[in-house]
Amino acid sequence: CRKAGLTFREAEEVSIFEACAETKGKIHLPSFLKLLHGEMSPARRGLVERAFAAVGGNPQDAQSVVSPGKLKEHFMAQAHPLVVRGQLEPGYVLAEFLDTFSQLAHVLGGCENGMVSFSDFLAYYDVVSSTVENDSLFDLIVQRVWDVKTKAWDNAEVSPRRLVREVDDAPSPTAEKRPPPHAGPSAYTMESPRGVQEHHRRFGRGPQSSAITKSSIVFSDIVNTLSRSISLRGLRGWLAVVQRFQHFDYRRNGTVMRLDWQRLCRGLGLGLSSEDQELIFKELSKKKKGQAMDYVECLRILRGDNLPEDRAQAVDHLFQALGTGDAVSPDELKQRFDASSAPQCLLRRKDPRQAEQEFFDAVDFFSQGAPFEAEKFDEFFRMVSAVHEDDDEFRLMTTSAFDVH
């Protein structure tokens, strides 16, 4: 205790020895550590079980073990939230994990035959859990360093985060030799007694042409770029875009003119070239008279029609948890929001007070002074979903940020 800088009153020492005594004058160290770290909550333990399963172990089987090498291979130090914040170096996080794990195994007598069981794995996270008070931060740490699968890709073999790491190892599509050119007759060169067939004309504009055109693909790419540009600014970005659209809607019919659309893009710095702006304008003004762009349709496309199934279920669960009847009041939504547990604050992208004010402003604006009915609630969280691309961040934004589990 003196070496560790711990001090106890005499009565406290007596209580510790009574609770953890192995023999007279000696304490049972594992019991003392268990008492010191406390019990892990069921939610945290469930997450640790999923992490152990992610490296190939079975937390339900006491005989299931994994090798230390496999743990080190799967441990993604660069994804640790404190590394993402810039507070720690990946090498330090990895070294701390290896050192603490090996010391615990030595002290507790674990890792029999050099292999790691679930009880060994859990003992390490008992220590980690006692040092991390915020449930959301503990969730992010375990999810990210072990690349624990979330519902968005439970049926996939590998999660998207690990796919990014392995893309450089993929074989080049040009590495394979091409087959020899076809020397036989072609359907496009064979003569027909009825003459040239209309559907053989490669670039024909008849009913055989594909509905997927180059312009539609380019339009989709530009929309995705625009949505990301807005979402990088958080909910404040969506709020600013909608406010500007409404400001330039002089006719109050959900449209803006070409010059006003260009002013909006320049004023907000959306990063669209003049060609991109023109393409979006033309595509969204086809059904409008007077060369006016339908910005309501533009916002619908930017938000997307539907959320992925798991995200839609999370939003529905949150709606049921916060709502009374068929709606959620803006005051309830703001009152239940805990910015300190929101992912943008846990990852130090924003200060809690800044994040709270941004969320409150968005709720006030998009609620328009009325309760959020199911459709409007879903529309609002489609913008939240666009801001949080990572599934684990969006999950926290619909659970821990509102104290909903």
Side-chain angles (χ1 to χ4, degrees):
C1 289
R2 285 195 297 270
K3 288 183 178 180
L6 300 176
T7 56
F8 297 101
R9 294 193 297 269
E10 185 176 348
E12 291 174 334
E13 288 185 359
V14 171
S15 298
I16 290 173
F17 272 83
E18 286 179 352
C20 306
E22 183 176 25
T23 59
K24 187 176 181 180
K26 291 185 178 181
I27 63 172
H28 184 239
L29 188 54
S31 300
F32 173 69
L33 292 177
K34 192 72 176 176
L35 185 66
L36 183 66
H37 299 141
E39 287 292 331
M40 188 184 296
S41 69
R44 291 192 178 196
R45 182 186 172 99
L47 189 58
V48 174
E49 289 177 354
R50 290 171 59 198
F52 189 68
V55 298
N58 181 357
Q60 310 304 326
D61 182 2
Q63 304 301 318
S64 177
V65 293
V66 296
S67 68
K70 198 167 187 179
L71 283 184
K72 183 178 179 181
E73 177 187 346
H74 280 74
F75 188 80
M76 299 174 63
Q78 72 276 13
H80 193 289
L82 298 182
V83 174
V84 176
R85 288 180 184 178
Q87 291 181 244
L88 298 176
E89 292 294 326
Y92 174 85
V93 172
L94 177 60
E96 185 278 335
F97 167 68
L98 296 175
D99 291 346
T100 304
F101 204 101
S102 60
Q103 287 177 15
L104 273 175
H106 175 72
V107 169
L108 300 178
C111 295
E112 294 183 9
N113 301 319
M115 301 297 283
V116 180
S117 66
F118 176 67
S119 61
D120 301 321
F121 194 74
L122 184 62
Y124 170 77
Y125 275 102
D126 277 333
V127 178
V128 175
S129 180
S130 67
T131 63
V132 181
E133 292 185 4
N134 190 295
D135 287 334
S136 300
L137 182 56
F138 182 82
D139 189 300
L140 272 184
I141 291 173
V142 179
Q143 286 267 5
R144 293 196 166 183
V145 299
W146 296 111
D147 200 20
V148 177
K149 292 180 180 180
T150 58
K151 291 181 180 179
W153 56 76
D154 269 346
N155 296 325
E157 293 182 359
V158 186
S159 82
R161 193 177 293 124
R162 195 167 294 280
L163 284 174
V164 172
R165 298 175 64 200
E166 296 176 354
V167 69
D168 293 334
D169 300 327
S172 169
T174 60
E176 300 289 336
K177 291 185 178 180
R178 295 184 179 182
H182 178 61
S186 167
Y188 292 95
T189 58
M190 292 178 62
E191 294 183 1
S192 168
R194 293 177 292 176
V196 178
Q197 300 298 303
E198 193 67 24
H199 59 275
H200 283 169
R201 294 182 182 175
R202 189 174 181 183
F203 300 103
R205 294 178 178 248
Q208 300 292 328
S209 60
S210 171
I212 302 177
T213 63
K214 181 179 178 181
S215 62
S216 66
I217 295 174
V218 172
F219 176 75
S220 178
D221 289 342
I222 296 173
V223 167
N224 289 335
T225 300
L226 179 57
S227 179
R228 282 195 296 271
S229 176
I230 297 170
S231 298
L232 284 173
R233 306 158 194 235
L235 287 174
R236 193 178 299 277
W238 286 97
L239 176 59
V241 167
V242 176
Q243 286 178 327
R244 290 296 182 92
F245 271 133
Q246 293 180 352
H247 173 73
F248 289 125
D249 182 11
Y250 305 117
R251 301 178 183 180
R252 296 295 179 262
N253 63 351
T255 65
V256 293
M257 305 303 288
R258 176 183 274 103
L259 288 178
D260 293 322
W261 163 239
Q262 293 170 353
R263 290 190 186 100
L264 185 150
C265 290
R266 287 196 303 271
L268 294 179
L270 297 180
L272 295 182
S273 66
S274 55
E275 292 82 5
D276 293 343
Q277 295 173 26
E278 184 64 18
L279 181 58
I280 288 182
F281 186 88
K282 285 183 176 180
E283 189 69 26
L284 297 175
S285 61
K286 289 178 179 178
K287 299 179 182 179
K288 295 292 181 180
K289 296 180 180 180
Q291 287 296 298
M293 187 181 92
D294 186 346
Y295 74 79
V296 176
E297 177 68 8
C298 180
L299 291 172
R300 185 193 66 78
I301 294 172
L302 289 172
R303 282 190 297 255
D305 289 324
N306 298 295
L307 290 171
E309 183 179 354
D310 61 317
R311 293 196 176 204
Q313 290 176 353
V315 172
D316 182 62
H317 178 68
L318 180 63
F319 181 80
Q320 299 298 329
L322 301 181
T324 53
D326 298 327
V328 176
S329 72
D331 290 340
E332 177 70 10
L333 196 57
K334 291 191 294 185
Q335 184 178 348
R336 292 287 294 272
F337 180 67
D338 177 14
S340 64
S341 294
Q344 61 266 41
C345 297
L346 293 174
L347 296 175
R348 290 289 177 90
R349 296 189 192 126
K350 291 183 179 176
D351 178 83
R353 278 184 286 186
Q354 178 190 3
E356 181 180 77
Q357 189 59 54
E358 178 180 321
F359 184 79
F360 285 6
D361 290 344
V363 169
D364 289 338
F365 179 80
F366 289 107
S367 68
Q368 299 176 341
F372 283 93
E373 295 180 347
E375 185 176 352
K376 188 161 71 169
F377 191 82
D378 179 73
E379 187 177 280
F380 180 78
F381 272 90
R382 271 184 273 153
M383 291 183 286
V384 176
S385 178
V387 171
H388 299 283
E389 291 186 343
D390 283 354
D391 289 311
D392 51 4
E393 290 186 21
F394 184 76
R395 179 176 48 80
L396 291 178
M397 194 61 189
T398 53
T399 54
S400 300
F402 295 93
D403 194 25
V404 171
H405 301 284

